[in-house]
Amino acid sequence: MPNEDINIGARDRLSIKIHGVKAAMAANAESSISVGALRSILQGQPIENPVLQCLQIKQLASASSNVERYRTVFSDVNNFIQSMLATQINHLVPTETLQKGAFVRIKQYQTNEVKGKTIMVVLDCEVISELGLRDKIGQPEALESSGPKQEEQPQAQPGGISSNNFYGSKPQAQQQPPQQQQQQNNLPTRTNGNSSSYNTRYQNIYPIEALSPYAHKWTIKARCTHKSDIKTWHNKNGEGKLFSANFLDDSGEIRATGFKEQCDMLYDVFQEGGVYYISAPCRVQPAKKQFSNVPNDYELTFETGTTVEMAEDDQNFANVRYNFTNVADLQNVEKDSILDTIAILKEVGEVSQITSKTTSKPYDKRELTLVDNTNFSVRLTIWGNTATTFSAQPESVVAFKGVKVSDFGGRSLSLLSSGSMSIDPDIDEAHKLKGWYDGQGRNDEFKSHASVMGALDGGSGSRKDSYKTIAAVLEEELGMNPDKTDYFTLKATVVYVKKDNIAYPACRSEGCNKKVVEVEPGQWRCERCDKSFERPEYRYVLQVNLMDHTGALWVSCFDDTGRMVLGTSGDEMMALREQDENAFSEKVGEANCRTWVWRCRAKLDTFQDQQRVRYQVSSVSPLNFAAEANKLAETIKQYSLQDQENDSMFVN
């Protein structure tokens, strides 16, 4: 019994001690909060690193799955305010560093009015972990309802903090005195003590991340990280020109486009690396993701009244942020992904020119060979003026932002028109690469992704050697993804070629290939080239039925592959049809029962409101009997190994 009394007493003393510690922590947390700070901030009084309590965290729905946005509610005991986290501190939420009930020191912020509601954008903050997590302290009220009483009292706020209408309906208009209206229109900005670094004419500086179609009378201060060349267009509605530029501040990045008159007025104003004030009117609209790699749900369009002014250049303001992928990891990246990379420039190719199949316009290109400390190399293509003016010397460090991944040659890269590059940038990754290359990399051997992909496919050096059966193509539903084109290789036999409409009359101009129309006997006209010819060039559009031991599949063959299948040109086949229909049919029939290796692509297509998968042959090659025999021998060998393993299971 005495021992039990001692234990009970010890437990009571421990409980009292724990209660005392909790009470001390609670008192410390309450005393740490900057009571009344939110009202002072909205009245324009600078508050240095206010400490607030986080009452609510909610992820916002976003039009882009790549960008997470978080809404928060912060309290100073007296009031609370709706807030939004800048993307650079998003990591605090999934890592549970920032939680409901936590205490936060706000290091950098901006306040803005968005569709009638005042919000605070938190650009930088620090969670005070030693204060722990607490239930809501006090009974804070919405900031709008806690000010001096007016003749017309707004409705009382509910006891709970609603998550509705963060960008919701604008409240009914109320008569406000001029002083209060001016206070809302000139919302203050706090930039961690650097408020003197921007022009005093622009007091209502918005962070890029707060821009939306509901924001009006705003000004952003941003660095131009990329400016495109001027592009022109011609169509049935007229002609024009445009350019685009990317802008960056501490909260995020956004793309802006200028058309026609705005292109003339603003193109020479913007210079890459410069810092500018850009003020509305300037249209904010949903971003066209097919033309941009900027991680923002919105983009800007310059208008007639848009004002642009050069700002003082602070070298620490909004420098380009990269998210690098090294060269070795490219083999794990999906085709058509857009990423950043940094590498040593190993080789620089000469400028060459290609002609677009769709527009017949020539394009300049230059191929670069890049290596890094993963001992891999990759080829990267740059285009247009970037290619012709490229002046970096081999062994330079080059950082690329906005390159597209291709599976050509295993893996290759292409710099987008909206992308940018920096030669020998003053960043840690560049210094590390340069040190590695000077120390040992200059004499290293580098692997290409083509050789690695080939090794993974059996050592043949080409992924085409990994065949699929027709049944596998259908069962795996290749081509059914509307956002992706699937590629595969078949070993299959021709069983039928449709004889109707095997070719079309095409333009004879090099690189055109568009259909021509016979305007009168002996005169064929191409509308695209605006030229006439005595006769067209017939190009194949074959429909071929293939079969293997698992099933049958219809594929389309165009001119190059059609010549392989039929063994002659479209001109000769059409001439044979006019001379002797029977001889024409026999010639088509000769293609039957011949086995080829077919490289195909599958893509979902819509025709007359019905969706179907189209299978198009991109290349065809005859069987390599030696390679096929080796494959069969390897297959037999695998069966033999399996038989030996099975036999060993029954050995006594």
Side-chain angles (χ1 to χ4, degrees), residues 143-211:
L143 193 58
E144 294 82 2
S145 66
S146 60
K149 294 184 178 180
Q150 305 296 331
E151 294 181 2
E152 295 185 16
Q153 291 290 344
Q155 294 182 357
Q157 294 286 338
I161 299 173
S162 171
S163 64
N164 297 329
N165 294 327
F166 184 55
Y167 286 103
S169 302
K170 187 174 181 179
Q172 294 182 355
Q174 300 181 16
Q175 187 70 26
Q176 297 179 343
Q179 182 178 358
Q180 185 174 349
Q181 290 182 356
Q182 183 177 358
Q183 176 181 318
Q184 291 186 356
N185 290 334
N186 294 286
L187 296 171
T189 300
R190 179 69 183 167
T191 57
N192 202 20
N194 295 327
S195 58
S196 62
S197 64
Y198 62 84
N199 192 324
T200 56
R201 291 176 52 197
Y202 299 107
Q203 293 295 320
N204 192 20
I205 302 294
Y206 264 57
I208 285 176
E209 193 167 42
L211 292 178

Side-chain angles (χ1 to χ4, degrees), residues 198-238:
Y198 62 84
N199 192 324
T200 56
R201 291 176 52 197
Y202 299 107
Q203 293 295 320
N204 192 20
I205 302 294
Y206 264 57
I208 285 176
E209 193 167 42
L211 292 178
S212 76
Y214 311 112
H216 306 285
K217 296 183 179 179
W218 50 262
T219 297
I220 62 172
K221 178 184 178 183
R223 186 181 298 278
C224 178
T225 59
H226 169 76
K227 183 178 75 169
S228 73
D229 296 332
I230 293 178
K231 301 177 182 178
T232 58
W233 80 85
H234 304 270
N235 56 34
K236 62 181 180 180
N237 298 322

Side-chain angles (χ1 to χ4, degrees), residues 19 36 72 75 78 107 122 136 224 315 327 342 357 379 396 416 450 455 457 461 482 485 492 516 518 527 567 644:
H19 181 74
T72 58
S75 163
N78 291 345
K107 293 183 175 181
V122 180
K136 180 177 66 176
C224 178
Q315 295 299 321
V327 178
I342 185 170
K357 292 183 179 180
R379 191 185 73 252
S396 301
L416 298 175
D457 287 330
T485 301
V516 294
E518 189 176 22
E527 294 297 334
Q644 291 175 11

Side-chain angles (χ1 to χ4, degrees), residues 490-509:
L490 293 174
K491 182 176 69 174
T493 303
V494 178
V495 294
Y496 185 72
V497 179
K498 286 186 177 181
K499 292 183 289 186
D500 299 332
N501 302 321
I502 68 167
Y504 72 96
C507 176
R508 302 188 68 86
S509 298

Side-chain angles (χ1 to χ4, degrees), residues 288-512:
K288 299 179 178 66
K289 294 295 184 179
Q290 66 271 33
F291 302 123
S292 171
N293 65 312
V294 175
N296 197 318
D297 292 340
Y298 300 110
E299 63 185 15
L300 305 178
T301 300
F302 297 126
E303 296 184 333
T304 302
T306 302
T307 58
V308 177
E309 182 177 334
M310 190 78 178
E312 67 281 3
D313 188 0
D314 181 354
Q315 295 299 321
N316 296 321
F317 172 77
N319 291 309
V320 178
R321 293 190 292 269
Y322 296 97
N323 184 17
F324 291 125
T325 299
N326 64 46
V327 178
D329 287 344
L330 292 176
Q331 62 190 19
N332 302 320
V333 176
E334 289 289 333
K335 176 181 177 291
D336 295 330
S337 298
I338 297 174
L339 48 79
D340 308 335
T341 192
I342 185 170
I344 298 290
L345 182 62
K346 187 70 171 177
E347 297 176 2
V348 180
E350 297 294 329
V351 176
S352 59
Q353 198 172 77
I354 63 171
T355 301
S356 170
K357 292 183 179 180
T358 56
T359 63
S360 297
K361 292 182 178 179
Y363 291 93
D364 294 318
K365 59 177 286 192
R366 188 194 294 266
E367 293 187 351
L368 313 176
T369 301
L370 307 177
V371 299
D372 70 2
N373 53 4
T374 62
N375 288 102
F376 269 80
S377 68
V378 69
R379 191 185 73 252
L380 184 145
T381 305
I382 55 178
W383 303 88
N385 187 55
T386 304
T388 56
T389 60
F390 185 80
S391 59
Q393 297 299 313
E395 302 189 356
S396 301
V397 179
V398 188
F400 295 91
K401 185 174 182 63
V403 295
K404 189 173 184 179
V405 180
S406 167
D407 61 358
F408 183 78
R411 280 294 183 269
S412 59
L413 303 174
S414 178
L415 182 64
L416 298 175
S417 60
S418 57
S420 61
M421 65 180 177
S422 177
I423 300 170
D424 291 325
D426 186 13
I427 56 178
D428 292 341
E429 293 87 347
H431 299 313
K432 181 180 177 182
L433 266 180
K434 190 64 175 175
W436 159 80
Y437 190 78
D438 290 340
Q440 69 176 75
R442 184 177 284 108
N443 300 317
D444 282 356
E445 296 291 331
F446 297 95
K447 295 176 288 187
S448 70
H449 288 284
S451 61
V452 172
M453 294 292 188
L456 293 175
D457 287 330
S460 61
S462 172
R463 292 176 298 140
K464 297 180 182 180
D465 294 330
S466 181
Y467 298 150
K468 283 189 179 295
T469 62
I470 291 176
V473 171
L474 300 177
E475 289 171 2
E476 295 174 16
E477 297 184 342
L478 298 184
M480 291 299 292
N481 187 342
D483 300 323
K484 179 183 176 184
T485 301
D486 291 315
Y487 294 86
F488 59 93
T489 303
L490 293 174
K491 182 176 69 174
T493 303
V494 178
V495 294
Y496 185 72
V497 179
K498 286 186 177 181
K499 292 183 289 186
D500 299 332
N501 302 321
I502 68 167
Y504 72 96
C507 176
R508 302 188 68 86
S509 298
E510 183 178 357
C512 180

